Amino acid sequence: METKIAHYYLIVDLEATCCDNKTIPRHEMEIIEIGAVMLNRTTWVIDSEFQQFIQPVRHPQLTGFCTELTSIRQQDVDKAPKFLEVISRFKEWIDLFPNYIFCSWGNYDKKQFIQDCAFHNFPYPFTSKHINIKEEFSEYLGVSKKFGMAQALDQLGIELKGTHHRGIDDARNIASIYRQIKNKNQTK
Ligand code: AMP
Ligand code: MG
């Protein structure tokens, strides 16, 4: 039987260690959650999801600010595998889907992948170009102003589902934005 090759938008949203007082400089932030969805470019349905917490090693104690922002608790990361194990699993999952394009809200997620992969000596996992959906959203509105994800949902009249600043929920919400700006709300 001939296999029909599906094409996907791989929408990724990362959460990372952070602070509000410069104790964790940008170059020492580490991914603590990978949330990702495979949005089918034909049906515009999410066909598969990946969610995994990661135990950080450079600043293993989450700040109160970080837990407040992301709702990710110390015990979530303490019992999670470390980066190399998770990125290997993530890569295996990505490789199940041919012809994806890596997308995220802004360029932060791409930069954070580059930073963590370099620190842990793991090859950058994506083989595709990167689509910045935040930029596409501004182009869709015909404005230069850049919007946060929650603001964009608001502009489109889409309800924010789940918890903002949780990787998997952000990835799902970004998929809803992308579906809407591509005019694909009706599945074929
Ligand atoms: P987001 O995808 O918007 O949830 O943000 C991804 C990551 O960026 C968060 O997990 C934080 O590490 C960092 N971040 C987001 N917003 C802030 C903020 N207001 N202050 C400090 N770090 C932030
Ligand atoms: Mg997020």
Side-chain angles (χ1 to χ4, degrees):
M1 201 180 80
E2 194 186 321
T3 315
K4 186 168 177 285
I5 296 177
H7 296 253
Y8 288 93
Y9 291 115
L10 163 58
I11 299 179
V12 183
D13 189 88
L14 302 178
E15 303 306 326
T17 52
C18 59
C19 64
D20 57 354
N21 60 3
K22 300 197 166 80
T23 50
I24 303 178
R26 172 69 191 88
H27 67 275
E28 290 179 9
M29 283 169 68
E30 283 174 281
I31 302 169
I32 55 171
E33 184 188 6
I34 299 177
V37 300
M38 284 286 177
L39 183 61
N40 188 307
R41 294 166 68 180
T42 305
T43 62
W44 290 85
V45 166
I46 291 173
D47 280 354
S48 186
E49 295 188 339
F50 182 96
Q51 190 282 331
Q52 184 66 63
F53 292 123
I54 299 177
Q55 191 183 134
V57 293
R58 305 176 87 173
H59 296 275
Q61 282 302 117
L62 299 185
T63 62
F65 174 81
C66 186
T67 291
E68 181 72 27
L69 178 77
T70 63
S71 80
I72 299 170
R73 300 160 307 169
Q74 188 64 43
Q75 60 261 44
D76 296 325
V77 294
D78 281 348
K79 64 176 191 238
K82 296 201 173 80
F83 180 79
L84 280 177
E85 186 178 330
V86 176
I87 194 81
S88 303
R89 278 196 227 161
F90 181 58
K91 177 73 177 141
E92 279 172 20
W93 175 73
I94 293 172
D95 287 346
L96 298 173
F97 300 89
N99 297 317
Y100 68 81
I101 302 179
F102 168 36
C103 310
S104 64
W105 192 263
N107 284 321
Y108 161 75
D109 305 81
K110 180 181 173 187
K111 288 183 190 156
Q112 191 67 53
F113 269 115
I114 292 170
Q115 181 170 305
D116 284 30
C117 286
F119 183 74
H120 292 277
N121 209 6
F122 189 90
Y124 178 70
F126 306 108
T127 50
S128 75
K129 67 169 185 172
H130 175 253
I131 291 179
N132 179 340
I133 300 180
K134 184 194 268 193
E135 263 174 14
E136 284 206 12
F137 179 71
S138 296
E139 282 162 23
Y140 164 82
L141 292 182
V143 299
S144 56
K145 175 178 153 64
K146 297 292 181 286
F147 295 82
M149 185 203 80
Q151 285 178 306
L153 286 165
D154 209 38
Q155 290 270 330
L156 295 171
I158 304 174
E159 183 194 349
L160 192 156
K161 298 209 180 75
T163 306
H164 190 18
H165 301 299
R166 272 294 317 277
I168 188 61
D169 291 332
D170 285 356
R172 290 172 183 153
N173 282 308
I174 295 164
S176 298
I177 293 171
Y178 210 36
R179 201 183 280 124
Q180 177 119 338
I181 68 178
K182 294 286 197 178
N183 243 322
K184 302 289 184 187
N185 255 338
Q186 304 293 320
T187 54
K188 285 180 208 155

